[in-house]
Amino acid sequence: VRDGAAMSLRIVRTVAELRGAVARWRRAGQSVAVVPTMGALHDGHLRLVAEGLKRADRVIATIFVNPAQFAAHEDLGRYPSDEVGDIAKLKRAGCHLVFAPPVAEIYPAGFATTVRLAGPAKAGLEDSHRPHFFDGVATIVAKLFISSGADFAMFGEKDYQQLLVVRKLAADLAIPITVIGVATEREADGLAMSSRNFSMNGPGASGWASMPIFSNRSFVSVCASTSAVSPLILRTRSGGVVPGAIRPY
Ligand code: PAF
């Protein structure tokens, strides 16, 4: 459903409001896609919205920097944030609803349930550098899937291991949602778009453009730890490991 220039983008902060909005769409017989994000949106996210609009009548974007997927030494406190800018971009992209909850809405006092993963989450790729990461992702993604009740969930192929993990999560927990993988959007020099690319600006940043040579559509994962110095490791399907670069994060 594209309402053109007159379209208003509703922002909701609670699961109850989200469910209410989706219930109204359901009563009108409309299908729903959800685009989970941590904000600081770029064209890769907007492509997910566009692909969602192709499949569903209504598209929800979620904006939530999920503390559960950051280790203590990582960049939670420095993660980029621009809610006003994100909302303007989502409005232009034709998104219908933004769910941007505060931390206490997702993890209220006494929150005690975490999704624990095996399978693709333990493939020895990003998980070997960020052991906490996929359980944190799975916990928030399960909550977003269940809270939105969406038919489709849009995820970038850039985070390929994450895509496999959330597909398995939906299948294993019988969450009735179809996870759609969407091709990676790239900068002019070939670098995959990422909210964290901001930290690659400055002297020597051009070295990062070598990443897509390795990660280009084959089953390759780029594993970057988010400590003060970030060793970039490229691991191929055959198990080979290529140290790509060492760069201050
Ligand atoms: O890919 C991301 O931005 C995050 O891991 C996600 C899926 C929004 C969960 O917080």
Side-chain angles (χ1 to χ4, degrees), residues 36-39 45 62 64-66 69 79 133 136-137 140-141 144 155 159 162 166:
T37 85
M38 297 205 298
H45 294 113
T62 70
F64 181 67
V65 181
N66 175 34
Q69 68 191 69
Y79 198 83
F133 178 66
V137 168
I140 182 63
V141 166
L144 293 173
F155 282 84
D159 302 307
Q162 173 173 273
V166 297

Side-chain angles (χ1 to χ4, degrees), residues 25-47:
W25 294 338
R26 293 295 189 201
R27 282 197 290 278
Q30 294 175 336
S31 56
V32 179
V34 66
V35 178
T37 85
M38 297 205 298
L41 302 184
H42 51 69
D43 285 353
H45 294 113
L46 302 181
R47 170 98 185 260

Side-chain angles (χ1 to χ4, degrees), residues 4 14 38 40 43 54 58 78 80 84 95-97 102-103 105 114 136 138 162 175 186 231-232 247:
T14 66
M38 297 205 298
D43 285 353
K54 287 184 194 163
R58 298 287 177 176
R78 288 179 288 125
V84 172
C95 183
H96 298 96
L97 186 86
V103 172
E105 176 69 11
T114 301
Q162 173 173 273
I175 303 175
R186 297 187 183 280
L232 176 67
R247 182 146 336 267

